[in-house]
Amino acid sequence: MGATRAAFGFLRSVLSSLPMRVLVISDIHANLVALEAVLEDAAGEYDVVWCLGDLVGYGPDPNECVERVQTLPGLRCLIGNHDAAAIGDIDLGEFNPDARAAVAWTQNALSSGSLDYIENLPDRDEQGPFTLVHGSPRQPVWEYILDRHIAMQNFRHFQTEYCLVGHTHIPVVYRRDSGRQTESPPDYCHALVLNGDRFILNPGSVGQPRDGDPDAAYALLDTEALRWQHRRAPYEVAETQRRMDALDFPTRLIVRLSQGW
Ligand code: ZN
């Protein structure tokens, strides 16, 4: 009992030093129109921003997105696999042909300032009871948590109560209580209360959603009330597509934005 109370007191002291209202974004993928739509949609509802990586790759505005992200309040930002590829840290053979074309274009387009910024991004961060990674706590840059079996294996690879991930571009909630493990789709109407179970949470993708909904995905996290809320923000997909078309991007990459796949 004493130990439980001490643990609770410790958690409270850690939490009280944390920001209360966090905008959680991931996988912007150089889509500035989508990023601005999310920032406008969430305006006034957050104090700091946590970004789970993949600032660049696929989209037409890599430098603009890298610069915009740096202006956000209290930013914590991680490196994603496309960011690592853009600075030459990953073999392009790891990507499919369309993604490879986008990475090659991005490598040429990035300014020295953007390269510097990306090179210094960490692949893992901890903020109080939250571990932050791009892919998974087991393999922070590369592994996709695509189902609850992969999620179950990953609960062993972080020490905090909660882990925030991106990378799959699909918003989802994995929950583990004493021995049981569940997977739930995002609930856009009700906040999820982080009630003492362990969670792996994915806010979805700002710049290239893959769950069949083209609207930009993100989440709001209240670290005091321990509430997690999935959100969607419509944006002008056609404007991003027009910019990609003007740069001769692969058709499949342009079309997929309006399909949300
Ligand atoms: Zn991504």
Side-chain angles (χ1 to χ4, degrees), residues 112-136:
S112 58
S114 298
L115 286 170
D116 274 356
Y117 181 72
I118 292 172
E119 274 168 6
N120 288 300
L121 292 174
D123 66 5
R124 188 181 182 110
D125 193 8
E126 273 186 29
Q127 295 290 306
F130 300 92
T131 295
L132 282 56
V133 290
H134 178 64
S136 78

Side-chain angles (χ1 to χ4, degrees), residues 63-231:
N63 291 310
E64 292 80 357
C65 287
V66 171
E67 285 161 20
R68 184 69 172 104
V69 159
Q70 290 176 73
T71 68
L72 300 176
L75 178 71
R76 311 296 305 189
C77 187
L78 302 172
I79 193 163
N81 58 313
H82 278 261
D83 305 318
I87 58 171
D89 269 6
I90 286 178
D91 180 4
L92 290 190
E94 303 276 352
F95 290 85
N96 69 51
D98 287 338
R100 203 173 343 174
V103 169
W105 180 87
T106 303
Q107 286 179 333
N108 280 322
L110 282 179
S111 68
S112 58
S114 298
L115 286 170
D116 274 356
Y117 181 72
I118 292 172
E119 274 168 6
N120 288 300
L121 292 174
D123 66 5
R124 188 181 182 110
D125 193 8
E126 273 186 29
Q127 295 290 306
F130 300 92
T131 295
L132 282 56
V133 290
H134 178 64
S136 78
R138 179 165 58 183
Q139 287 180 32
V141 176
W142 266 106
E143 185 179 31
Y144 291 89
I145 300 185
L146 287 166
D147 59 44
R148 64 193 177 87
H149 303 290
I150 302 172
M152 186 165 63
Q153 294 160 15
N154 269 283
F155 274 106
R156 290 197 290 274
H157 293 268
F158 62 103
Q159 307 305 318
T160 57
E161 281 86 347
Y162 318 111
C163 183
L164 309 185
V165 303
H167 196 33
T168 63
H169 300 206
I170 298 172
V172 67
V173 172
Y174 298 103
R175 174 198 296 246
R176 199 179 84 168
D177 57 28
S178 46
R180 239 167 46 90
Q181 163 107 8
T182 58
E183 171 181 352
S184 319
D187 181 341
Y188 296 106
C189 300
H190 307 97
L192 170 73
V193 179
L194 308 179
N195 62 349
D197 294 342
R198 297 187 80 210
F199 289 87
I200 295 175
L201 302 160
N202 189 326
S205 167
V206 170
Q208 197 199 73
R210 293 181 193 160
D211 60 347
D213 179 348
D215 291 350
Y218 69 99
L220 292 170
L221 170 66
D222 184 324
T223 60
E224 191 172 77
L226 288 174
R227 291 162 70 89
W228 169 267
Q229 177 67 63
H230 286 278
R231 298 275 286 263

